[in-house]
Each structure stands twice: as structure tokens, then as C-alpha cells.
Amino acid sequence: MNNPRCAEITRTTKETDISLSLCLDGGETDISTGIGFFDHMLTAFSVHGGFGLCVRAEGDLLVDCHHTVEDTGIVLGMALGKALGDKSGIERYGSFFVPMDESLSFASVDVSGRPFLVFEGEFPQERVGDFDTCMTEEFFRALAVNAGITLHMKVQYGKNSHHMIEGLFKAAAHALRLAVKEKADGRLLSTKGVL
């Protein structure tokens, strides 16, 4: 495939205004959501996935971070689905463990066209900066549903929520990097002939 695997999405609601561009084969990383830790996680996702990712998000942070984080997951998922097109010629599957100090996180993905999230993770701290740790699952659910991927994630163990969540973002990035890698033969990896 020689076509650029990129997508741009803009989504505006009464709660958020998000513009996002994604390029699966690399590019600039420029993130601004108004939530410092979330910017850090999206930057890690971009760098470790080898993706070009630019995000501009404005949300009702006076309420909390929920709408901004979830809606960014929605838009990123939409962009991923659009950038993949008919999903032909990719490896389809990817799995990855990431150790981060005392914690170990895991992600496994199937770019299947069947949206599903399995998430196992209990965070000992309720917040990291202005980011509510419970929003980690909400972000990845929004991403998986809107990208049409099956995503399994688990924090194997850990004590520091920052490390545990960062491990999940990095594991998801590496798993997706493997799954969206182009196959040499360009073949669609499905017995059904469609994903």
C-alpha cells in the first residue's frame, strides 16, 4: 500500500470541541487537551506507536475531565478506523507487555471490525494530576468502540497509578503498532474475506 494512512476528524458538542489528526506511519506529535497528565499519555501513545498524532481539545474542565477524555477517545477511535480504510494488508493482531518500575501492564488488540473492550485494572490513587484514574477505562472503551477493534488490557500489578496507566497507554500503542503494520503480501487476514 502506498496510500497515506492518515485521517483528520473534528467533533464539536456542547461539552467538547476536538480536532485530531492521525497518521499511522509517523509524523508530528502535538497534544493539547488542558489536562497535563492526559497530554503526557497521548504523547506516549503517539511516540511508542510510531504514529503522527495532533490533538486540540477544549472541554468543560470546570465540571471534571470526563467529557474531554472520553470524547478524545471517541475522536481518536474514529480517526483510527478512517485511517485503516478496509483494513486490508495489515497484520491485524498485536500484543505487548510494558514494565514500568514496579508495575506491569499488558494490551492485546485485534483490528477486527468488532468493537469490544476487556479491561482489568485497579488504581490505588484516584487521581494523577487533573486526571481521574477511572477515566483510563472510559478512554480505551471509547477508542475501541469507535475504531471497531477488540482490545484487551490488564494491569498485572503495580502500586503507583501514574506508572500503571502509563504502562497501559504504551502497551496499547505497541500492540496497535504491531497490528496495523503492513504485510508484505498485502493480503487481508480473514477467512471471511472481510474485516
Side-chain angles (χ1 to χ4, degrees):
M1 283 185 281
N2 294 322
N3 59 315
R5 302 189 300 162
C6 301
E8 294 184 9
I9 304 285
T10 298
R11 181 177 184 268
T12 302
T13 72
K14 291 181 179 180
E15 297 166 339
T16 60
D17 186 0
I18 300 170
S19 296
L20 184 149
S21 65
L22 172 69
C23 194
L24 298 178
D25 300 309
E28 180 185 7
T29 299
D30 187 9
I31 313 292
S32 178
T33 67
I35 307 163
F37 179 73
F38 189 40
D39 289 355
H40 179 41
M41 293 303 96
L42 292 174
T43 298
F45 179 84
S46 173
V47 170
H48 284 263
F51 308 134
L53 180 62
C54 295
V55 181
R56 285 286 170 274
E58 294 183 8
D60 54 357
L61 296 180
L62 70 165
V63 177
D64 63 12
C65 71
H66 189 117
H67 299 138
T68 301
V69 174
E70 183 177 29
D71 288 8
T72 300
I74 290 171
V75 177
L76 180 56
M78 292 167 64
L80 177 58
K82 185 177 178 182
L84 283 168
D86 66 1
K87 306 176 189 69
S88 63
I90 61 169
E91 293 290 348
R92 180 176 168 179
Y93 296 98
S95 298
F96 212 84
F97 282 94
V98 168
M100 189 157 185
D101 294 353
E102 87 298 340
S103 68
L104 181 66
S105 298
F106 170 75
S108 187
V109 65
D110 175 11
V111 181
S112 60
R114 296 188 308 276
F116 203 88
L117 175 71
V118 175
F119 187 96
E120 291 185 24
E122 298 292 331
F123 304 109
Q125 294 85 33
E126 290 184 8
R127 303 189 85 193
V128 180
D130 292 329
F131 182 89
D132 297 329
T133 56
C134 65
M135 288 309 302
T136 308
E137 182 174 0
E138 297 302 323
F139 170 80
F140 283 111
R141 178 178 292 109
L143 171 64
V145 167
N146 287 276
I149 62 175
T150 296
L151 179 60
H152 290 235
M153 309 185 79
K154 184 174 184 178
V155 177
Q156 303 289 323
Y157 45 79
K159 295 179 180 178
N160 182 300
S161 295
H162 183 136
H163 297 158
M164 296 158 75
I165 294 168
E166 187 166 347
L168 286 173
F169 271 82
K170 289 178 177 178
H174 279 281
L176 273 168
R177 175 182 56 80
L178 295 170
V180 305
K181 182 180 177 184
E182 293 175 307
K183 294 168 60 66
D185 59 12
R187 184 170 53 94
L188 180 69
L189 193 60
S190 171
T191 54
K192 297 191 294 286
V194 64
L195 285 174

